Amino acid sequence: MKKSAPKPTSSRWVDFLQLWGLALALMALTIMTASWMLSRLQDPDVMPVRVVKVEGEVRYLNLRQLEEVVYAAVDGSFFSVTLAKVRAEVELLPWVDSVSIRRVWPDTLRVKVVEQQPLARWGKNALVNVRGEIFDPEPIPDFSGLALLEGETQDSVMISQEYQKIETLLDTVGLELEKVRVDARQAWRLWTRSGLELNLGRKQVMPRLSRFVRLYPGLSGEDGVRLKKIDLRYTNGFTANWEALPDIHTKGNDPAVEGKASRLAGI
């Protein structure tokens, strides 16, 4: 049998170049197609975000406002929307404590919200959470059942932490806080819902309050009177003022009892 002659080297080189040219052309076509598809997927009109689903226990957050914020922050299609940007915008809403956002195929953003939990009222137009962070939603619902905290803004964390300790301590003797004021000198003054005012001063606030709580059951006073003011700024004691309870048979209070005071030492 007669053997065929091998191809010349130049012919094999031409075939190799043709194959490489075809491969490069296919690669370029693939890149162009992928680039086109990517640009199309980034177009908000091609695969827009159509649905916003809110998860989490929400009592005060305005859901319509939240959805509007999400839609306004969407800067691309379902695939290209910047979730970090949307999250940052939602976190600016006063009632939002934290938020997480994820995509749900094919056109949904799922927004999981943790709402602020108010610990107390702060000043005239704000609230404070359990971490001592101040937030000011508008309008503020009726939180008259929460205590009112007053103090310097930079002290909100410290005041909130101490308030929780004080509230727990006073609760052991059935006293409920209505108002706490801490002035610029760090002096503490408390008011209870029963009308009792406690002046704790600047130093040893908790030890002074603990002494009062220990002795409080014996300070009810005589029949027809109640504690009005306690001054705990003494090293070994405090002063107590009582006031007469209103008498349904007489108008006003008994002047003999009103303003009655005594100092208890050695406590």
Side-chain angles (χ1 to χ4, degrees), residues 39-55:
S39 66
R40 292 292 292 166
L41 291 176
Q42 291 177 337
D43 187 345
D45 296 328
V46 174
M47 292 195 68
V49 174
R50 299 183 186 276
V51 181
V52 174
K53 289 187 177 180
V54 180
E55 297 180 345

Side-chain angles (χ1 to χ4, degrees), residues 37-232:
M37 290 181 64
L38 182 61
S39 66
R40 292 292 292 166
L41 291 176
Q42 291 177 337
D43 187 345
D45 296 328
V46 174
M47 292 195 68
V49 174
R50 299 183 186 276
V51 181
V52 174
K53 289 187 177 180
V54 180
E55 297 180 345
E57 185 177 348
V58 174
R59 297 180 61 189
Y60 306 108
L61 183 64
N62 187 317
L63 295 182
R64 182 180 294 276
Q65 182 185 23
L66 186 148
E67 292 175 358
E68 291 175 353
V69 168
V70 172
Y71 283 122
V74 170
D75 55 0
S77 69
F78 174 80
F79 289 101
S80 64
V81 58
T82 307
L83 297 185
K85 177 185 176 182
V86 179
R87 183 172 60 251
E89 292 296 323
V90 173
E91 287 176 341
L92 293 177
L93 294 173
W95 274 112
V96 173
D97 190 10
S98 64
V99 61
S100 61
I101 301 176
R102 66 186 182 92
R103 299 177 179 88
V104 179
W105 177 264
D107 60 357
T108 301
L109 289 183
R110 182 165 293 171
V111 182
K112 186 173 183 180
V113 174
V114 177
E115 195 174 50
Q116 292 275 17
Q117 297 299 315
L119 171 70
R121 292 173 289 149
W122 182 270
K124 295 181 179 179
N125 301 306
L127 300 169
V128 63
N129 64 24
V130 293
R131 297 186 301 276
E133 298 167 343
I134 299 171
F135 61 104
D136 53 351
E138 293 183 2
I140 297 180
D142 180 15
F143 283 119
S144 55
L146 296 180
L148 172 64
L149 307 185
E150 295 180 345
E152 301 293 320
T153 301
Q154 64 269 21
D155 294 331
S156 64
V157 174
M158 179 273 293
I159 293 173
S160 298
Q161 291 174 347
E162 294 303 305
Y163 159 72
Q164 294 178 74
K165 298 176 185 177
I166 292 170
E167 182 184 42
T168 300
L169 186 56
L170 290 181
D171 185 62
T172 62
V173 289
L175 291 175
E176 184 180 359
L177 277 174
E178 181 176 42
K179 183 178 177 181
V180 175
R181 178 184 296 161
V182 183
D183 64 23
R185 298 173 59 252
Q186 302 296 301
W188 288 71
R189 195 180 293 265
L190 316 177
W191 288 264
T192 71
R193 294 194 183 275
S194 62
L196 175 60
E197 179 183 339
L198 300 171
N199 191 343
L200 297 169
R202 299 171 53 196
K203 301 177 180 179
Q204 299 182 328
V205 171
M206 291 306 295
R208 288 173 175 175
L209 188 62
S210 296
R211 291 201 308 267
F212 163 75
V213 167
R214 188 171 67 251
L215 295 172
Y216 174 73
L219 295 175
S220 57
E222 304 170 1
D223 291 339
V225 298
R226 64 183 174 190
L227 277 174
K228 182 178 181 181
K229 292 183 180 181
I230 299 287
D231 191 338
L232 294 148

